[in-house]
Amino acid sequence: MASPRPAARRSRFALAAITVTGLILVAALATLGTWQVHRRTWKHALIARVEARVQAAPVEPPGPGAWDGLTADADAYRRVRTRGHFRNDRETLVQAVTDLGAGFWVLTPLERADGTTILVNRGFVPGDRRDPTARADGQVDGEAGVTGLLRLTEPGGAFLRSNAPEAGRWYSRDVAGIAAARGLGPVAPYFIDADATPNPGGWPVGGLTIVHFPDNHLVYAITWYVLALMVLGAVGYTLVDARRGARRTSA
């Protein structure tokens, strides 16, 4: 019996290579789809936890002994309440875009009785209120109370914009960077987004925190699974077409 011709052997080798490569690609795409399903489950659990924290009664924010163990999953958006004295002379303006327009977040150190300092995002001011003298009534003296949401530090700046401490330009609420630039003492590795309790004179405006987590995982999962089916269909079509061609050749 004659051995298969070289062209036939090459054709079979190419067909086998296409099949193996296609099946590997199908497995990879299906794995990505399954990963997105798991991510969706995790995201929904995170959203539920955060919503519970936002609606909970306020608690005292974590002290120095707990600072090293803070995580986004466990601590972000925890509702907290504390008291202290604002260091109005050390406030920092961070560029912001809000429902009220473009302007700045006003971050002011709050010195507490235990000697620690927490940066407080007291709220938003427009460009014409960036100068503290334009909102003098809001420069609170004496002991003050703050209620709001615990937010973890935002190091590094914003998209395509790095913080420039030497120039006083801030695009993110980088706690460590602001503390170093302002010469503050022991500072918590988080800040507090103040709630909507009105400040004297109306500025800054608090309570503008947006609690939102993108949830596109189902769309991504469907996309990966559809791509896997398309590749599987292409491999199947290639095998069937090759078999038909072999039959026509042998006929």
Side-chain angles (χ1 to χ4, degrees):
M1 184 176 180
S3 59
R5 290 172 296 180
R9 287 198 298 268
R10 286 196 299 270
S11 178
R12 291 176 183 173
F13 176 79
L15 192 61
I18 290 173
T19 302
V20 171
T21 302
L23 292 178
I24 291 174
L25 187 56
V26 167
L29 292 170
T31 298
L32 288 171
T34 301
W35 177 67
Q36 287 294 340
V37 170
H38 291 313
R39 288 281 295 173
R40 182 173 183 266
T41 300
W42 168 81
K43 180 64 69 63
H44 284 194
L46 173 63
I47 292 172
R49 290 197 301 271
V50 169
E51 287 180 349
R53 291 177 206 155
V54 170
Q55 300 300 326
V59 298
E60 190 69 19
W67 287 354
D68 290 339
L70 296 178
T71 65
D73 281 358
D75 301 289
Y77 300 100
R78 185 190 302 180
R79 194 157 175 249
V80 295
R81 175 181 291 160
T82 191
R83 301 188 65 81
H85 292 80
F86 283 118
R87 292 290 306 274
N88 295 306
D89 60 324
R90 303 294 178 91
E91 75 173 25
T92 299
L93 299 179
V94 179
Q95 292 196 19
V97 177
T98 72
D99 291 340
L100 300 180
F104 302 90
W105 297 123
V106 178
L107 267 68
T108 308
L110 181 76
E111 289 188 350
R112 301 196 297 170
D114 62 1
T116 60
T117 298
I118 299 177
L119 282 182
V120 177
N121 177 15
R122 299 190 62 209
F124 170 83
V125 293
D128 60 357
R129 298 278 183 170
R130 64 179 299 169
D131 189 331
T133 60
R135 44 184 166 83
D137 290 343
Q139 303 294 94
V140 179
D141 291 324
E143 188 177 56
V146 174
T147 301
L149 300 179
L150 185 152
R151 305 289 305 279
L152 297 186
T153 182
E154 300 169 347
F159 180 67
L160 297 180
R161 287 184 168 186
S162 298
N163 293 325
E166 67 285 351
R169 290 197 300 270
W170 299 90
Y171 303 101
S172 71
R173 291 162 290 192
D174 181 350
V175 172
I178 292 173
R182 292 300 188 185
L184 304 178
V187 178
Y190 55 82
F191 60 93
I192 296 174
D193 266 350
D195 65 10
T197 301
N199 286 304
W203 301 103
V205 177
L208 298 178
T209 307
I210 296 176
V211 183
H212 173 69
F213 298 93
D215 185 14
N216 300 315
H217 300 293
L218 181 59
V219 174
Y220 295 151
I222 292 173
T223 300
W224 291 124
Y225 285 140
V226 169
L227 288 173
L229 289 174
M230 290 173 64
V231 173
L232 186 62
V235 170
Y237 176 83
T238 300
L239 292 175
V240 171
D241 187 63
R243 179 172 295 182
R244 290 173 179 170
R247 288 176 180 174
R248 286 195 297 267
T249 303
S250 62

